[in-house]
Amino acid sequence: MILAVWMRCLGVAVCAATFGASAMAQESAESAAQRPLAPLPGVTPATTATPGIPKWSDFPAPPGDVPTVAEFAQRVKTQTAASDKLAAEVRVLVWDKEQPEPYAAASIARINPVYLKPVDAIMTVEQIERLAEDLRRRAVPPPMAD
């Protein structure tokens, strides 16, 4: 911070010493009027549309059904009221304190015992090895067609 202020002061002092006090003052209206003007290049506006640049008529019309701030506020109030009402209804619910295991046992008792068995039979190590060997044998691709 101190360095920046010091450099600004140094810059002003060097500028004043080099160019004199007149460089530091603003230009008057009379001297500006006497200064020659630089010629402007001949720029003419294009009369035809540039390809790739859309015209304003190409843009879609702005949407007309945008809700106002007041409508948004009303929607928020409605949602908050519905949320508060639901929370009040949940608070007055009486939750049963029964355990779910008796219900599960009653449901399982109604199911046919045939459907409660595992889908795949438990296999011995020898049966698993025979199955794996059979799958490896069947996995060999057929010979190349001529």
Side-chain angles (χ1 to χ4, degrees):
M1 177 77 177
I2 295 173
L3 181 63
V5 171
W6 177 78
M7 293 196 60
R8 257 189 257 140
C9 292
L10 179 67
V12 169
V14 169
C15 186
T18 305
F19 300 110
S22 64
M24 300 301 286
Q26 288 189 348
E27 184 178 23
S28 66
E30 294 81 22
S31 63
Q34 294 173 358
R35 188 169 15 102
L37 297 176
L40 293 176
V43 177
T44 57
T47 56
T48 61
T50 307
I53 298 178
K55 294 182 278 185
W56 282 113
S57 60
D58 296 338
F59 290 97
D65 58 346
V66 177
T68 63
V69 173
E71 291 170 339
F72 271 120
Q74 182 58 39
R75 288 181 187 179
V76 169
K77 288 178 186 175
T78 303
Q79 277 304 116
T80 305
S83 176
D84 292 343
K85 180 181 175 188
L86 179 62
E89 290 176 3
V90 169
R91 277 193 300 271
V92 298
L93 286 177
V94 177
W95 297 96
D96 54 351
K97 295 183 168 93
E98 297 180 26
Q99 298 298 320
E101 286 82 14
Y103 292 109
S107 299
I108 290 172
R110 294 189 343 220
I111 298 174
N112 188 345
V114 173
Y115 298 122
L116 294 176
K117 293 181 181 177
V119 176
D120 294 331
I122 298 175
M123 298 172 69
T124 64
V125 175
E126 293 81 21
Q127 290 172 330
I128 293 173
E129 289 298 328
R130 269 186 271 138
L131 176 64
E133 183 59 37
D134 184 48
L135 291 174
R136 282 190 211 104
R137 183 182 47 77
R138 293 190 320 188
V140 175
M144 294 292 291
D146 290 331

